[in-house]
């Protein structure tokens, strides 16, 4: 996606994937700063990155998670473009509240920021009820840190939801069970699956067959990537059509 955008605009750059062990992250980020590089952090580095990137946007600081970094005057800066990506994908689905949010990890935090920006009420679903309650309490802290009004939030106890968001890794592997039982999403009108795989995810297909509007993580991937690209190359609008086509080729069945 990034290399397709770089080639389309004739930029002198290349996007490369590095597999980095958690213990090597500080050294890797120091090397990136020394070389004037920018990039993305993904699982499991987003939270650790927030402790290691010295200059964070207020959003990345409030979420304690960085997915995009760049170098300015020899120092690393970090932002969280998952929030814009998830928000845009939900807007495209016309996502009505309340949103039932599955998972309490980094992308669930980004979904909370998107909900706070839209005033969307939330239901939190976790494998552990205590974690759901703690996460619900954290949304109030996040709202304060972002200078936004808190939203109505509760642990999921079977209340009606209009939109369902899968912010767990369930769906990444072909044989994965659905992220939540059918009874919890069949009454909704929209579903966003943050996972993606070639040919689409089984849960997204099941949602569409049941009449929901549904997107998998491909839409979020492009949107967060477009915002990241504009951090890497300030003043250069991301060629979204090129990036969308590159992701579509990658995710083709
Ligand atoms: N499309 C995109 O651009 C995009 C962007 C960001 C993330 N993602 C995807 O979203 C998914 C979640 O990412 P993340 O960064 O939020 O991960 P994470 O920080 O590890 O959090 C995942 C959460 O899912 C829940 N969970 C439920 N079943 C699980 C299982 N079998 N194994 C592990 N956790 C499980 C856990 O919450 P409880 O323990 O409370 O249940 C956990 O906190 C990943 O698949 C990632 O690839 C996609």
């Amino acid at each position: 996606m990034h290399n397709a955008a770089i080639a389309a605009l004739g930029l002198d750059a290349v996007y490369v994937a590095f597999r980095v062990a958690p213990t090597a992250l500080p050294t890797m980020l120091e090397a990136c700063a020394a070389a004037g590089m920018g990039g993305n952090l993904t699982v499991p580095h987003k939270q650790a990155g927030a402790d290691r990137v010295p200059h964070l946007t207020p959003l990345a600081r409030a979420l304690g998670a960085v997915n995009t970094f760049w170098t300015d005057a020899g120092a690393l800066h970090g932002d969280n473009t998952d929030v814009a990506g998830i928000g845009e994908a939900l807007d495209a689905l016309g996502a009505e509240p309340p949103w039932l949010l599955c998972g309490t990890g980094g992308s669930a935090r980004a979904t909370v920021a998107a909900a706070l920006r839209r005033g969307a009420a939330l239901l939190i679903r976790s494998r552990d009820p205590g974690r759901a309650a703690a996460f619900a309490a954290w949304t109030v802290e996040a709202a304060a840190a972002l200078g936004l009004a808190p939203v109505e939030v509760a642990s999921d106890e079977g209340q009606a939801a209009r939109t369902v968001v899968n912010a767990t890794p369930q769906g990444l592997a072909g044989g994965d069970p659905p992220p939540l039982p059918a009874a919890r999403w069949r009454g909704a009108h929209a579903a966003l699956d943050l996972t993606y795989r070639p040919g689409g995810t089984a849960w997204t297909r099941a949602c569409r067959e049941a009449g929901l509007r549904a997107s998998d993580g491909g839409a979020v991937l492009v949107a967060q990537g477009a915002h990241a690209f504009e951090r890497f190359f300030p003043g250069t609008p991301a060629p979204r059509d090129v990036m969308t086509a590159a992701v579509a080729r990658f995710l083709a069945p």
Side-chain angles (χ1 to χ4, degrees):
M1 167 174 72
H2 285 292
N3 284 324
I6 286 164
L9 297 181
L11 298 170
D12 183 13
V14 65
Y15 190 97
V16 183
F18 292 97
R19 187 177 295 278
V20 180
T23 49
L25 183 68
T27 311
M28 184 71 189
L29 288 174
E30 279 167 28
C32 290
M37 286 159 57
N40 293 115
L41 297 176
T42 190
V43 177
H45 296 307
K46 292 181 189 180
Q47 270 107 328
D51 294 330
R52 290 288 171 178
V53 172
H55 303 284
L56 298 179
T57 60
L59 180 62
R61 190 176 308 113
L63 297 184
V66 168
N67 80 324
T68 300
F69 66 89
W70 64 95
T71 309
D72 191 10
L76 283 189
H77 293 247
D79 196 3
N80 190 310
T81 68
D82 284 336
V83 176
I86 292 167
E88 285 175 26
L90 284 163
D91 290 346
L93 289 169
E96 294 168 13
W99 298 354
L100 171 53
L101 175 57
C102 304
T104 57
S107 59
R109 286 181 173 229
T111 307
V112 167
L116 291 169
R117 287 177 169 182
R118 290 160 180 77
L122 289 167
L123 299 167
I124 309 298
R125 185 179 179 93
S126 165
R127 293 169 298 178
D128 176 273
R131 211 154 40 236
F135 189 84
W138 170 81
T139 68
V140 179
E141 287 170 35
L146 291 170
L148 295 168
V151 293
E152 269 181 55
V153 58
S155 296
D156 175 36
E157 287 167 6
Q159 306 93 317
R162 294 291 293 146
T163 298
V164 183
V165 181
N166 175 28
T168 80
Q170 296 281 7
L172 280 180
D176 277 354
L180 74 176
R184 292 303 295 121
W185 54 263
R186 276 191 178 270
H189 86 103
L192 177 64
D193 190 351
L194 293 185
T195 68
Y196 50 84
R197 31 178 303 107
T201 65
W203 183 57
T204 315
R205 276 196 300 278
C207 288
R208 289 202 192 102
E209 281 162 17
L212 281 75
R213 301 186 65 180
S215 282
D216 68 20
V220 177
L221 184 67
V222 172
Q224 64 77 28
H227 286 276
F229 187 92
E230 290 170 0
R231 304 292 187 284
F232 304 150
F233 304 104
T236 304
R240 282 189 182 228
D241 51 345
V242 171
M243 299 171 85
T244 301
V247 168
R249 278 195 300 278
F250 173 70
L251 292 180

